[in-house]
Amino acid sequence: MAKTAKPSPPGARDLALEVLAAARQQERSVEDLLAAALRRHSELPRQERALLLELVQGVKRWEIKLDYLLSRVSSLPLKKLHPLVHQILRLGAFQILMLDRVPARAAVDEVVKQARARNLPVAHAGFINAVLRKLAGGEMPALPGPEADPVLSLSLEYSHPAWLVARWLGRWGPEQTRARLAANNRIPPLTIRVNTLKTDAPALRARLAREGAEAAACRFSPEGLILVGLEAAPMELPSYREGLWVFQDEGAQLVSRLLPLRPGDRVLEIGAGRGGKTGHLAALMGGRGLVVAVDHHQKRLRELKANLARLGVHAARPLLADAAAALPCRAGSVDAAAVDAPCSSLGVIRRHPEIKTRVRESDLATFPPRQSALLAAAAGCLKPGGRLLYITCTTEPGENEDLIAAFLGAHREFALATDPECLPAPARFLVQAPGFFRTSPEEHNLDAFFAALLAKEG
């Protein structure tokens, strides 16, 4: 009996549309859906995987600008369009305006074929064809100039929400704001952290070279490498499966070093997530001691356990708990604590562009109360003389400097104690008076992190 032929995997463009449409319909994270699609279609050729990532992240990176341009060439308001038609238009406009590997008119034809394959009405396919052919033919609507409305002008030029542009202009002025907006739209380096529990940077670079992956040393972090040449998807590399490295921005690698640790310490980590910093904290103790890694999301905790197992981290104990409500931790029972606080994430837009349209200005007020509660919970578990590290990946003073000032005002037994000497020499300038650690994409090519180390009087 003849074997049934295995169906060929869908192409990158079809998968990109599937991910973008599902994210809108199900109100789910684009990144989670993208990761799930790549797992389902592990046989997808490398070039198609790369194109899928470029299409999905590119549409989210430029969505605000794409919608403005589409609104100017569409005969119908975008809000009245069928949701799938809207996503197809975004995907088509991105390929026409932002990619040059496919001729514009060929891109239009491919997108129209997608619409027909989705069994959309003939009129919908005709509408998509008409709108995109205007863009393909060079009918480019002008963006508003800065003279009329500087906020709207920057918002559309760099595809960031107007409310965020206004906040940054008020805080930093036009020059720095423009630099940050431009940096957020650049594709970040593919940065990894060497798992020093199993190997070191020179040995890993040699191993990666044998696997067909070129790696360059990071500027600041001694455990950091940047993957600059790959023949296969990084998660398919044997060195990844063996737990020799983990994906982690260089800024995040530096943050963990701010917490002075000794082998044998008991460390409380609140907001462990998928375990990037958990593994680093354990490695900084030489694998001797205990990191109680707390997270209140069951799915993230499962991923945390899987990552710790892959990395060979035995000095960590994942714990499902809401630290803001009830933390099973005795007062004065830990030597050090790290609070990787849930935040507005405005410092990692370049790596997670969907933040641009997911976070709203009204959301900003929801973070500080929880951040303060988590900080207070960690403080209560700390021994006299202990150290407490507070971390965010946002630029908002209300979640950073102002929140730390309020905490110190309410907890007189704590003082700011961020020590630049904890960092590698090239990175010590990142700790600025009065003792705050900051990184930025425009100045350092790092995600924007904020951190402060607090010392409890002994």
Side-chain angles (χ1 to χ4, degrees):
M1 185 176 177
K3 292 183 179 179
T4 304
K6 186 178 179 180
S8 58
R13 290 174 175 81
D14 288 332
L15 284 174
L17 180 57
E18 176 186 310
V19 166
L20 292 166
R24 176 168 176 170
Q25 183 178 11
Q26 302 170 22
E27 295 185 348
R28 290 180 59 190
S29 163
V30 161
E31 292 182 18
D32 288 347
L33 290 164
L34 185 56
L38 288 170
R39 285 195 299 271
R40 282 197 314 274
H41 301 286
S42 58
E43 76 283 12
L44 205 64
R46 181 170 62 91
Q47 288 185 327
E48 286 294 288
R49 291 172 69 94
L51 179 58
L52 171 59
L53 290 168
E54 184 174 33
L55 291 174
V56 172
Q57 295 289 61
V59 167
K60 296 310 294 183
R61 187 172 287 115
W62 294 102
E63 183 175 306
I64 293 169
K65 184 174 185 177
L66 293 174
D67 275 1
Y68 176 84
L69 296 174
L70 286 168
S71 72
R72 294 304 185 268
V73 294
S74 170
S75 59
L76 295 173
L78 299 187
K79 289 183 178 180
K80 292 188 175 182
L81 298 180
H82 186 290
L84 190 57
V85 170
H86 193 176
Q87 293 299 339
I88 291 173
L89 285 173
R90 284 172 173 166
L91 195 55
F94 173 74
Q95 293 175 79
I96 293 165
L97 301 175
M98 306 294 181
L99 299 184
D100 55 11
R101 69 186 67 177
V102 178
R105 293 199 177 275
V108 175
D109 291 340
E110 287 295 320
V111 170
V112 172
K113 287 178 185 176
Q114 278 188 301
R116 290 171 179 156
R118 289 295 196 285
N119 295 319
L120 287 169
V122 174
H124 285 11
F127 174 78
I128 291 168
N129 181 63
V131 170
L132 293 181
R133 285 200 177 277
K134 289 180 182 178
L135 294 179
E139 190 173 324
M140 180 62 63
L143 298 178
E147 303 80 11
D149 190 333
V151 170
L152 182 61
S153 176
L154 286 174
S155 169
L156 294 174
E157 181 181 356
Y158 292 102
S159 198
H160 280 63
W163 65 264
L164 183 57
V165 172
R167 291 177 82 88
W168 286 356
L169 281 172
R171 187 178 308 146
W172 298 327
E175 185 176 343
Q176 187 177 348
T177 296
R178 184 180 286 273
R180 172 63 62 90
L181 295 172
N184 278 350
N185 285 337
R186 289 193 283 270
I187 297 173
L190 186 55
T191 311
I192 66 174
R193 176 177 56 79
V194 180
N195 179 12
T196 55
L197 294 173
K198 291 188 173 185
T199 187
D200 58 29
L204 181 59
R205 287 182 76 176
R207 171 68 181 273
L208 287 167
R210 293 195 298 272
E211 295 175 351
E214 183 184 352
C218 282
R219 175 184 174 189
F220 301 113
S221 172
E223 300 107 338
L225 295 174
I226 298 173
L227 299 181
V228 293
L230 287 167
E231 294 179 1
M235 294 175 69
E236 294 176 1
L237 297 175
S239 56
Y240 175 81
R241 295 198 298 267
E242 293 170 25
L244 302 187
W245 56 269
V246 62
F247 293 108
Q248 192 173 45
D249 182 77
E250 190 179 3
Q253 297 177 35
L254 295 173
V255 162
S256 297
R257 286 181 160 270
L258 292 169
L259 188 62
L261 297 174
R262 299 161 299 185
D265 276 348
R266 292 175 60 86
V267 182
L268 171 66
E269 181 193 17
I270 294 176
R274 295 174 174 88
K277 295 186 184 70
T278 310
H280 199 188
L281 294 172
L284 291 171
M285 293 192 293
R288 300 188 299 277
L290 177 66
V291 180
V292 180
V294 179
D295 204 282
H296 73 294
H297 289 283
Q298 184 75 57
K299 181 176 181 291
R300 282 207 297 258
L301 206 70
R302 287 196 300 270
E303 293 176 354
L304 167 64
K305 291 177 180 177
N307 283 330
L308 294 180
R310 181 178 63 83
L311 295 170
V313 176
H314 305 296
R317 188 179 75 186
L319 178 65
L320 181 66
D322 184 353
L327 191 61
C329 176
R330 296 192 316 276
S333 63
V334 300
D335 300 291
V339 176
D340 197 352
C343 67
S344 53
S345 303
L346 299 177
V348 292
I349 287 175
R350 67 174 190 162
R351 209 169 286 279
H352 307 284
E354 66 178 316
I355 291 168
K356 291 180 179 182
T357 51
R358 190 183 71 208
V359 176
R360 303 184 184 281
E361 188 169 21
S362 58
D363 295 333
L364 300 183
T366 66
F367 295 103
R370 182 165 179 80
Q371 292 161 343
S372 297
L374 295 177
L375 198 53
C381 297
L382 205 61
K383 291 179 179 178
R387 297 291 188 270
L388 171 56
L389 180 65
Y390 176 78
I391 308 161
T392 73
C393 56
T394 188
T395 54
E396 283 299 301
E399 302 177 62
N400 295 338
E401 301 91 338
D402 296 350
L403 186 134
I404 293 297
F407 175 86
L408 293 174
H411 297 79
R412 297 294 182 179
E413 72 277 22
F414 280 87
L416 199 57
T418 316
D419 184 2
E421 296 299 314
C422 290
L423 296 175
R428 289 172 187 164
F429 77 98
L430 297 170
V431 176
Q432 303 151 8
F436 296 136
F437 170 89
R438 295 188 187 88
T439 56
S440 77
E442 72 272 19
E443 293 181 81
H444 317 120
N445 197 23
L446 306 176
D447 290 349
F449 280 92
F450 170 89
L453 186 72
L454 310 174
K456 189 173 185 178
E457 64 183 19

